[in-house]
Amino acid sequence: MPNRTRRMKFAIVSMGWVLALVEASSNPMSVVAQTPVESPALNVIPRPKPPFGGRIGDTVKQSTPDFPTQVQAPRGAPNVLVILTDDVGFGASSTFGGPIPTPTFERLAKGGLKYNRFHTTSLCSPSRAALITGRNHHTCSTGIITEGASGFPGYDSLMSKSCGTIGNVLRGNGYNTSWFGKNHNVPDFQSSQAGPFDLWPTGLGFEYFYGFIGGDSFQWAPAAFEGTTPIEPYLDKKDYHFDADMADKAISWMRTQNALAPEKPFFMYYAPGTAHAPHHAPKDWIKRFEGKFDQGWEKVREETFERQKAIGVIPKDAKLAPFDPQYKKWSDLSSGMKKVCARQMEVYAAALAHCDHHIGRVIDALEESGELDNTLIFYIQGDNGSSAEDPSGNGLTNEVGVFANGVVESEEFLVSMIPHWGSEMTFNHFSHSWAHAMNGPFQWDKKIASHFGGTRNGMIVHYPRAIKDAGGMRSQFHHVIDVAPTIYEATGVVPPTHIDGIQQQPIAGVSMLSSFDKANEKAKSKHVTQYFEIVANRAIYHDGWMASTTPKRLPWVTIGNTVPNPITDFEWELYHVDEDFTQFKNVAKENPDKLTELQKLFMEEARKNEVLPIDDRYGERGDVSTRPSLTRGRTKFNYYDGMTRIPEGSAPDLKNKSYRISAEVEVPEGGANGVLMTQGGRFGGYGLLLMEGKPVFVHAFSNQPQHKFKVGSTDKLTPGKHTVAVDFAYNGGGIGKGGTATITVDGKKTAEGKIAQTIPIRLSLDETLDIGADCGTPVLDEYQVPFKFTGKIEKVTIELK
């Protein structure tokens, strides 16, 4: 340690003052003089003489140089890798008896432990907030996905600074930290380049972020970010797929960290967008699964159930929950639709298997570095159950179009899309009955927080330093909030009481570390009580029992209240889950006192965790007009060339109204082509472009040919400056109606045409407003992105009428 007791005198020049300080051997610093001096000249820094007579060199000779000790991780602290896939049910992966081969998941299971009673919240954003903080999702203000945020404390999507993340804590304790893949925890109204960025990964303790912010990602052309900078990594790359790119970036980051600071542990949060819609996979991977699912979803579910018993991931006496009649039956499908639906599952299986393959590359790189045995790995297969967000039961090629905007896809159209399923021509989702099969042996699916089909996910923990029962299984009840405290105990890090001066809420989860010990294989669950709630579907687990509401809002229903009073108008079921693994037998009638006891306990937990008020709305949850907004009250917007990737939540809302888009451009000799302005893309969007030198307005209600509209001028723009504009006159009479588009050049009408149908609710889940180039997918397939404008754009103005 340096000798900090030597007597020193020095001066500081700042803001036109000399501040002379003295440090005595036993006294704190004290101000001895404050004397005004002249401000520094433009290119001369004043060098005042020391306020003492000796030479500066004497002071150096009498001192010992040193640097403050940097924060270091506890001695022997392991690396930590948390892997979280998306929308994958308990019965999907081969590791837990499912039909989809997941060799990396199995590899880690053989060297680690399976957990067959691990739970999530049943929805994306809530599970992710709970995972990275160790607190319940409502406590983190994330009781719903960010796009559905309302102004109530448990649902406003503004994650409290009192809920510090694993990134905050480990970075503050000497770890390098990174986040790859899906986020879905940035408020919808804070996802633009204007920020604020404190709730982005880099503001939550993660030093490096490479991924996407929203709920899902177009794997062939993702709306990706590096840190907070939007990037287009797919451009000019053949056969690009985000899962492969993400693995490349994670491996590179890990290798760099290990090469530069091998003694410094790292924390990596690796969260692929797979297998959330769209289900995208390379053609050769899809081909591997051809014909594997021709038997249909009921049969696949039964086959999975038998395998689950055979490999021991469910008890031998477990019962298969019945196939609810509200799901579409395989026998009800025509021969054409059976081919469509079989293809959907082939693509879903290929997407998950392909994702697991690239996770395997990350694990291989970890092993090559010699750090595999020194890394605590959590591999959680799904942030909730598989998604049944398919209204018709036929599956779909355009998630936002069908699910949000009421687009109807005919059987003829779906059959025609079989060769393209899983390609860049689809934003696809499978039948809700496939989701139900992937969530076997349980009832229900994603968003149904009351039942295990929505909340129970397979998990593997791999940590050779502490796990000697390799290949074993643990059946204690656990929840996603238990991951953070397990990491803290394993690393020897004590989470601070304050982060950045803000007092932290207590960690709600319990550590799983004791379950790593073979001696505790049959130990009683330490996680005794856990509530669940998503869009009023709710449950309470306590000491081997579970009270669950009977679902009112089905997973594929977007809009509309289901009951007048969500608290009193739901029926309740009761299960003794310690003896009934699949929630097969409702014993509410036989145990009314136990049910009443648990209902009261739910309300106690609800009050404690900011769950109230109970709200059963989903797509229309909250009043958008009350949310923070960058655009509210504005009717005129000016944009300039190169302004791209402006998300829908921060862009002017052109839906269901009249508007004007005008562009001031300069056309060079020889003409110009390209995008002046677009918003959205192939699956829903519009834009003003120059094609073959001619002004064109395009509108896509969906990806179907009859929903593509184009109004174009017949004459090319001459070289020079012009004002190109389109005026859209909305017909009115409700949402999603048509209108008339009129194109003018320098004030003169050059074209006019009808747009029969417009987008009523949501343009896109991941595409943006772009000026001068198109990001993502094209509105019309007559051009290819980025279709950058080859002239000069002075300004683009959007006016809401």
Side-chain angles (χ1 to χ4, degrees):
M1 291 293 291
N3 184 352
R4 303 258 185 221
T5 62
R6 294 182 184 272
R7 186 178 302 273
M8 293 183 292
K9 298 180 180 180
F10 54 92
I12 300 173
V13 178
S14 177
M15 299 297 289
W17 289 77
V18 171
L19 181 62
L21 306 177
V22 173
E23 182 181 34
S25 59
S26 59
N27 295 323
M29 287 186 178
S30 59
V31 177
V32 296
Q34 291 186 340
T35 307
V37 298
E38 288 184 6
S39 296
L42 289 177
N43 57 359
V44 178
I45 299 177
R47 297 181 181 276
K49 293 180 180 180
F52 50 87
R55 295 173 301 171
I56 293 179
D58 292 340
T59 312
V60 173
K61 290 180 180 178
Q62 297 169 7
S63 302
T64 302
D66 196 6
F67 291 91
T69 302
Q70 293 185 355
V71 174
Q72 295 182 343
R75 186 180 299 274
N79 307 309
V80 181
L81 170 59
V82 176
I83 302 164
L84 178 69
T85 59
D86 199 344
D87 285 8
V88 183
F90 184 88
S93 73
S94 57
T95 316
F96 283 80
I100 304 172
T102 48
T104 303
F105 201 31
E106 291 189 32
R107 169 188 174 186
L108 295 176
K110 289 176 182 176
L113 296 173
K114 293 180 183 178
Y115 286 76
N116 69 344
R117 296 181 73 206
F118 179 84
H119 301 83
T120 54
T121 70
S122 87
L123 198 59
C124 300
S125 302
S127 288
R128 292 163 190 275
L131 171 65
I132 63 174
T133 66
R135 283 95 175 178
N136 283 309
H137 52 303
H138 294 88
T139 305
C140 300
S141 304
T142 316
I144 191 67
I145 57 173
T146 57
E147 295 88 346
S150 61
F152 301 114
Y155 304 90
D156 62 27
S157 76
L158 293 159
M159 195 162 71
S160 172
K161 299 299 177 60
S162 65
C163 296
T165 72
I166 304 172
N168 291 132
V169 174
L170 294 190
R171 186 182 68 173
N173 281 273
Y175 273 71
N176 284 129
T177 57
S178 63
W179 183 331
F180 295 87
K182 179 172 174 174
N183 169 262
H184 211 192
N185 287 125
V186 173
D188 198 36
F189 45 84
Q190 292 186 0
S191 60
S192 78
Q193 293 90 324
F197 298 109
D198 56 318
L199 294 178
W200 287 54
T202 51
L204 295 177
F206 294 88
E207 296 165 319
Y208 181 75
F209 171 63
Y210 186 85
F212 59 96
I213 293 299
D216 49 12
S217 178
F218 196 76
Q219 299 282 354
W220 307 112
F225 288 86
E226 189 164 27
T228 59
T229 302
I231 57 174
E232 315 303 325
Y234 54 89
L235 290 178
D236 302 320
K237 292 182 182 177
K238 186 180 179 181
D239 301 326
Y240 176 91
H241 192 288
F242 183 68
D243 276 344
D245 181 32
M246 176 178 153
D248 289 343
K249 291 294 191 297
I251 291 168
S252 176
W253 180 87
M254 188 168 57
R255 285 175 173 168
T256 301
Q257 189 277 337
N258 188 254
L260 298 179
E263 299 302 318
K264 188 174 183 180
F266 67 80
F267 170 55
M268 181 191 294
Y269 177 29
Y270 190 91
T274 304
H276 193 291
H279 307 149
H280 286 158
K283 291 180 180 178
D284 58 328
W285 281 82
I286 297 172
K287 191 172 181 61
R288 301 180 189 190
F289 294 93
E290 286 182 355
K292 302 290 186 183
F293 302 102
D294 291 349
Q295 66 273 46
W297 35 67
E298 294 103 330
K299 186 65 176 176
V300 167
R301 189 167 180 262
E302 292 165 3
E303 292 168 352
T304 294
F305 179 64
E306 294 305 319
R307 281 193 301 269
Q308 288 171 331
K309 282 191 174 183
I311 65 176
V313 294
I314 67 174
K316 295 292 185 185
D317 61 353
K319 301 287 187 3
L320 179 63
F323 196 91
D324 196 283
Q326 296 181 91
Y327 293 89
K328 182 162 282 191
K329 294 180 174 60
W330 188 258
S331 59
D332 290 340
L333 301 179
S334 67
S335 59
M337 283 309 301
K338 285 180 179 177
K339 292 177 181 178
V340 170
C341 291
R343 186 63 164 180
Q344 294 167 9
M345 189 59 209
E346 291 166 7
V347 170
Y348 180 86
L352 184 58
H354 176 254
C355 178
D356 182 83
H357 164 76
H358 287 291
I359 293 171
R361 292 176 51 225
V362 176
I363 301 302
D364 288 343
L366 191 59
E367 186 172 34
E368 289 166 7
S369 72
E371 290 293 318
L372 181 59
D373 287 354
N374 187 42
T375 303
L376 170 61
I377 302 174
F378 295 82
Y379 189 160
I380 306 168
Q381 198 69 269
D383 55 352
N384 40 245
S386 287
S387 170
E389 294 167 301
D390 155 44
S392 70
N394 291 329
L396 49 91
T397 71
N398 182 348
E399 183 187 25
V400 69
V402 174
F403 195 56
N405 295 322
V407 171
V408 176
E409 297 186 328
S410 67
E411 179 174 330
E412 180 183 12
F413 173 72
L414 291 172
V415 170
S416 75
M417 292 297 290
I418 289 176
H420 307 291
W421 213 276
S423 75
E424 70 278 2
M425 303 306 293
T426 61
F427 208 106
N428 51 309
H429 197 298
F430 59 9
S431 167
H432 57 227
S433 296
W434 279 128
H436 196 46
M438 294 302 98
N439 295 327
F442 306 114
Q443 301 183 54
W444 299 110
D445 317 281
K446 172 184 176 180
K447 292 200 306 192
I448 307 298
S450 53
H451 289 76
F452 291 152
T455 63
R456 184 163 289 181
N457 292 88
M459 185 187 73
I460 301 298
V461 177
H462 185 275
Y463 188 34
R465 275 175 45 179
I467 295 173
K468 305 307 176 186
D469 182 25
M473 192 175 72
R474 299 294 182 264
S475 295
Q476 289 87 359
F477 185 98
H478 281 294
H479 188 270
V480 68
I481 59 175
D482 297 340
V483 172
T486 307
I487 290 172
Y488 297 148
E489 185 176 3
T491 59
V493 169
V494 178
T497 58
H498 292 73
I499 295 177
D500 295 334
I502 298 172
Q503 184 170 343
Q504 297 296 288
Q505 302 221 29
I507 298 292
V510 301
S511 173
M512 296 181 278
L513 196 66
S514 63
S515 69
F516 296 179
D517 192 333
K518 172 70 173 175
N520 294 325
E521 180 181 9
K522 303 296 183 182
K524 187 176 177 62
S525 297
K526 290 185 176 181
H527 197 127
V528 178
T529 304
Q530 179 61 49
Y531 81 89
F532 298 84
E533 192 277 338
I534 295 290
V535 289
N537 291 314
R538 54 202 186 273
I540 182 79
Y541 167 85
H542 180 71
D543 199 19
W545 290 81
M546 189 143 177
S548 308
T549 58
T550 303
K552 295 287 188 181
R553 176 183 294 281
L554 300 177
W556 48 85
V557 176
T558 309
I559 304 294
N561 290 80
T562 57
V563 294
N565 188 329
I567 290 183
T568 60
D569 294 349
F570 273 68
E571 298 176 5
W572 285 76
E573 304 164 5
L574 179 66
Y575 301 95
H576 193 182
V577 292
D578 267 2
E579 298 177 359
D580 179 7
F581 186 83
T582 64
Q583 292 180 300
F584 182 83
K585 186 178 180 182
N586 177 10
V587 295
K589 290 182 179 179
E590 297 90 331
N591 299 274
D593 292 342
K594 173 61 74 172
L595 178 59
T596 300
E597 171 194 335
L598 292 180
Q599 288 172 318
K600 290 180 179 178
L601 181 58
F602 175 85
M603 292 305 296
E604 292 173 11
E605 293 294 302
R607 293 187 184 97
K608 184 170 67 176
N609 287 280
E610 303 282 7
V611 181
L612 304 177
I614 300 292
D615 188 348
D616 71 335
R617 296 171 298 165
Y618 186 65
E620 78 285 28
R621 176 183 285 257
D623 182 358
V624 176
S625 67
T626 67
R627 296 178 194 166
S629 170
L630 296 176
T631 62
R632 184 175 301 118
R634 298 169 61 189
T635 59
K636 188 174 182 178
F637 303 82
N638 291 322
Y639 299 104
Y640 299 88
D641 196 8
M643 290 185 177
T644 60
R645 296 283 298 278
I646 300 170
E648 188 168 351
S650 300
D653 183 6
L654 275 62
K655 298 184 294 292
N656 311 309
K657 61 177 65 70
S658 299
Y659 55 84
R660 176 181 174 86
I661 304 168
S662 60
E664 298 174 19
V665 303
E666 185 173 350
V667 177
E669 293 293 333
N673 287 300
V675 168
L676 302 179
M677 172 270 185
T678 61
Q679 188 176 13
R682 175 179 290 127
F683 306 96
Y686 43 80
L688 180 62
L689 314 93
L690 289 191
M691 301 180 71
E692 299 180 351
K694 305 169 186 177
V696 175
F697 178 70
V698 296
H699 191 290
F701 175 59
S702 82
N703 56 318
Q704 298 180 51
Q706 70 271 27
H707 292 156
K708 304 285 188 178
F709 304 101
K710 177 180 174 182
V711 179
S713 301
T714 56
D715 296 329
K716 294 183 178 181
L717 287 188
T718 59
K721 292 187 176 182
H722 298 281
T723 299
V724 180
V726 59
D727 286 275
F728 182 74
Y730 188 61
N731 289 340
I735 63 173
K737 304 300 182 181
T740 302
T742 303
I743 295 177
T744 58
V745 176
D746 301 328
K748 296 179 180 179
K749 184 167 74 171
T750 60
E752 185 173 278
K754 301 291 186 182
I755 308 295
Q757 195 169 15
T758 60
I759 297 163
I761 296 175
R762 183 88 184 186
L763 275 161
S764 175
L765 298 173
D766 63 339
E767 296 209 48
T768 53
L769 171 67
D770 306 311
I771 305 296
D774 195 359
C775 300
T777 63
V779 181
L780 292 184
D781 290 319
E782 295 173 32
Y783 69 90
Q784 292 183 335
V785 296
F787 201 37
K788 191 167 183 173
F789 185 60
T790 56
K792 182 179 180 181
I793 298 176
E794 296 289 346
K795 182 171 63 174
V796 173
T797 301
I798 299 175
E799 297 174 85
L800 308 182
K801 300 296 183 181

